[in-house]
Coordinates of all heavy atoms in Angstrom, one line a residue:
K1 N 36.3 2.5 83.5 CA 37.0 1.3 83.4 C 38.1 1.2 84.4 O 38.3 0.1 85.0 CB 37.6 1.1 82.0 CG 36.5 0.8 80.9 CD 37.1 0.5 79.6 CE 37.8 1.7 79.0 NZ 38.4 1.4 77.7
N2 N 38.8 2.2 84.7 CA 39.8 2.2 85.7 C 39.2 2.0 87.1 O 39.8 1.3 88.0 CB 40.6 3.6 85.7 CG 41.5 3.7 84.5 OD1 41.9 2.7 83.8 ND2 41.7 5.0 84.0
L3 N 38.0 2.6 87.3 CA 37.3 2.4 88.6 C 36.9 1.0 88.8 O 36.9 0.5 89.9 CB 36.1 3.4 88.6 CG 35.4 3.5 90.0 CD1 36.3 4.2 91.0 CD2 34.1 4.3 89.8
E4 N 36.5 0.3 87.7 CA 36.1 -1.1 87.9 C 37.3 -1.9 88.4 O 37.1 -2.9 89.2 CB 35.7 -1.7 86.5 CG 34.4 -1.2 86.0 CD 33.9 -1.9 84.7 OE1 34.5 -1.5 83.7 OE2 33.1 -2.7 84.8
N5 N 38.5 -1.6 88.1 CA 39.7 -2.4 88.6 C 40.0 -2.0 90.0 O 40.7 -2.8 90.7 CB 40.9 -2.1 87.7 CG 40.7 -2.6 86.3 OD1 40.0 -3.6 86.0 ND2 41.2 -1.9 85.3
Q6 N 39.5 -0.9 90.5 CA 39.9 -0.4 91.9 C 38.8 -0.8 92.9 O 39.2 -1.2 94.1 CB 40.0 1.1 91.9 CG 41.1 1.7 91.0 CD 41.1 3.2 91.0 OE1 40.5 3.8 91.8 NE2 41.9 3.7 90.0
I7 N 37.5 -0.9 92.5 CA 36.5 -1.2 93.5 C 36.5 -2.7 93.7 O 36.5 -3.5 92.8 CB 35.1 -0.7 93.0 CG1 35.1 0.8 92.8 CG2 34.0 -1.1 94.0 CD1 33.8 1.4 92.2
P8 N 36.5 -3.2 95.0 CA 36.5 -4.6 95.3 C 35.2 -5.3 94.6 O 34.2 -4.7 94.5 CB 36.4 -4.7 96.8 CG 37.0 -3.4 97.2 CD 36.6 -2.4 96.2
S9 N 35.4 -6.5 94.3 CA 34.3 -7.3 93.7 C 33.1 -7.5 94.6 O 32.0 -7.8 94.1 CB 34.8 -8.6 93.1 OG 35.4 -9.4 94.2
D10 N 33.3 -7.4 95.9 CA 32.1 -7.7 96.8 C 31.2 -6.4 97.0 O 30.2 -6.5 97.6 CB 32.7 -8.1 98.2 CG 33.6 -7.0 98.8 OD1 34.1 -6.2 98.1 OD2 33.7 -7.1 100.0
I11 N 31.6 -5.3 96.3 CA 30.7 -4.1 96.4 C 29.9 -4.1 95.0 O 30.5 -4.0 94.0 CB 31.6 -2.8 96.5 CG1 32.3 -2.9 97.8 CG2 30.7 -1.6 96.4 CD1 33.2 -1.7 98.0
D12 N 28.6 -4.1 95.2 CA 27.7 -4.1 94.0 C 27.4 -2.7 93.6 O 26.5 -2.1 94.2 CB 26.5 -5.0 94.3 CG 25.6 -5.2 93.0 OD1 26.1 -4.9 91.9 OD2 24.5 -5.7 93.2
W13 N 28.1 -2.1 92.7 CA 27.9 -0.7 92.4 C 27.4 -0.6 90.9 O 27.6 -1.5 90.1 CB 29.2 0.1 92.6 CG 30.3 -0.4 91.7 CD1 31.2 -1.5 92.0 CD2 30.7 0.0 90.4 NE1 32.1 -1.7 91.0 CE2 31.8 -0.8 90.0 CE3 30.2 1.1 89.6 CZ2 32.4 -0.6 88.8 CZ3 30.9 1.3 88.4 CH2 32.0 0.5 88.0
I14 N 26.8 0.6 90.6 CA 26.4 0.9 89.2 C 26.6 2.4 88.9 O 26.9 3.2 89.9 CB 24.8 0.6 89.1 CG1 24.0 1.4 90.1 CG2 24.5 -0.9 89.2 CD1 22.5 1.4 89.9
I15 N 26.6 2.7 87.7 CA 26.6 4.1 87.2 C 25.2 4.4 86.7 O 24.7 3.8 85.7 CB 27.6 4.3 86.1 CG1 29.0 4.0 86.6 CG2 27.5 5.8 85.6 CD1 29.5 5.0 87.7
R16 N 24.5 5.3 87.4 CA 23.1 5.7 86.9 C 23.3 6.8 85.9 O 24.1 7.7 86.0 CB 22.3 6.3 88.1 CG 21.7 5.2 89.0 CD 20.8 5.8 90.0 NE 19.8 6.7 89.4 CZ 18.8 7.4 90.0 NH1 18.8 7.3 91.3 NH2 18.0 8.1 89.4
V17 N 22.6 6.6 84.7 CA 22.7 7.5 83.6 C 21.3 8.1 83.5 O 20.4 7.5 82.9 CB 23.1 6.9 82.3 CG1 23.2 7.9 81.2 CG2 24.5 6.2 82.5
D18 N 21.0 9.3 84.0 CA 19.7 9.9 84.1 C 19.6 11.0 83.0 O 20.4 11.9 83.0 CB 19.4 10.5 85.4 CG 19.4 9.4 86.5 OD1 19.2 8.3 86.2 OD2 19.6 9.8 87.7
G19 N 18.6 10.9 82.1 CA 18.3 11.9 81.1 C 17.2 12.9 81.5 O 16.2 12.5 82.1
H20 N 17.5 14.2 81.3 CA 16.5 15.2 81.6 C 16.4 16.2 80.4 O 17.4 16.4 79.7 CB 17.0 16.0 82.8 CG 17.1 15.2 84.1 ND1 16.1 15.0 85.0 CD2 18.2 14.5 84.6 CE1 16.5 14.3 86.0 NE2 17.8 13.9 85.7
T21 N 15.2 16.8 80.2 CA 14.9 17.8 79.2 C 14.4 19.0 79.8 O 14.1 19.1 81.0 CB 13.9 17.2 78.1 OG1 12.6 17.1 78.8 CG2 14.3 15.9 77.6
D22 N 14.3 20.1 78.9 CA 13.6 21.3 79.4 C 12.1 21.1 79.2 O 11.7 20.0 78.8 CB 14.1 22.5 78.6 CG 13.9 22.4 77.1 OD1 13.0 21.6 76.7 OD2 14.7 23.0 76.3
K23 N 11.3 22.1 79.5 CA 9.9 22.0 79.5 C 9.2 22.4 78.2 O 8.0 22.5 78.1 CB 9.2 22.7 80.6 CG 9.5 24.2 80.6 CD 8.8 24.8 81.9 CE 9.0 26.3 81.9 NZ 8.4 26.9 83.2
K24 N 10.0 22.6 77.1 CA 9.4 22.9 75.8 C 8.7 21.7 75.3 O 9.3 20.6 75.3 CB 10.5 23.4 74.8 CG 11.0 24.8 75.1 CD 12.0 25.1 74.0 CE 12.5 26.6 74.2 NZ 13.5 26.9 73.2
Q25 N 7.5 21.8 74.9 CA 6.7 20.6 74.4 C 7.2 20.2 73.0 O 7.7 21.0 72.2 CB 5.2 21.0 74.3 CG 4.6 21.4 75.7 CD 4.7 20.3 76.7 OE1 4.5 19.1 76.4 NE2 5.2 20.6 77.9
V26 N 7.1 18.8 72.9 CA 7.5 18.2 71.6 C 6.6 18.7 70.5 O 5.3 18.7 70.7 CB 7.6 16.7 71.7 CG1 7.9 16.0 70.4 CG2 8.6 16.3 72.8
V27 N 7.1 19.0 69.3 CA 6.2 19.4 68.2 C 5.4 18.1 67.7 O 6.0 17.1 67.5 CB 7.1 19.9 67.0 CG1 6.2 20.2 65.8 CG2 7.9 21.1 67.5
P28 N 4.1 18.3 67.6 CA 3.3 17.1 67.2 C 3.7 16.6 65.9 O 4.1 17.3 64.9 CB 1.9 17.7 67.1 CG 1.9 18.9 68.1 CD 3.2 19.4 68.0
G29 N 3.8 15.3 65.7 CA 4.2 14.6 64.5 C 5.7 14.3 64.4 O 6.2 13.8 63.4
T30 N 6.4 14.7 65.5 CA 7.9 14.4 65.5 C 8.1 12.9 65.5 O 7.5 12.1 66.3 CB 8.5 15.0 66.8 OG1 8.3 16.4 66.8 CG2 10.0 14.7 66.8
K31 N 9.0 12.4 64.6 CA 9.2 11.0 64.5 C 10.2 10.5 65.6 O 11.1 11.3 65.9 CB 9.8 10.7 63.1 CG 8.8 10.9 62.0 CD 9.4 10.5 60.6 CE 8.4 10.7 59.5 NZ 9.0 10.4 58.2
G32 N 10.0 9.3 66.1 CA 11.0 8.8 67.0 C 10.5 8.8 68.4 O 10.9 7.9 69.2
Y33 N 9.8 9.8 68.8 CA 9.3 10.0 70.2 C 8.1 10.9 70.2 O 8.0 11.7 69.3 CB 10.4 10.5 71.1 CG 11.0 11.8 70.7 CD1 10.5 13.0 71.1 CD2 12.1 11.8 69.8 CE1 11.0 14.2 70.7 CE2 12.7 13.0 69.4 CZ 12.1 14.2 69.9 OH 12.7 15.4 69.5

């Protein structure tokens, strides 16, 4: 939020939020994903 007030409005910037997991396989039947 502080950064939003500092960066000029003519610069189109974003914060990328990238999710990563380990390689353990999901247990079959897990709810939600």
Side-chain angles (χ1 to χ4, degrees):
K1 286 188 295 182
N2 292 333
L3 189 65
E4 285 184 287
N5 297 327
Q6 297 176 15
I7 299 176
S9 60
D10 59 340
I11 298 177
D12 191 10
W13 61 275
I14 59 172
I15 299 293
R16 283 186 52 181
V17 182
D18 297 338
H20 298 269
T21 67
D22 58 27
K23 60 182 179 182
K24 288 184 178 180
Q25 298 300 314
V26 175
V27 177
T30 300
K31 294 183 179 179
Y33 56 91

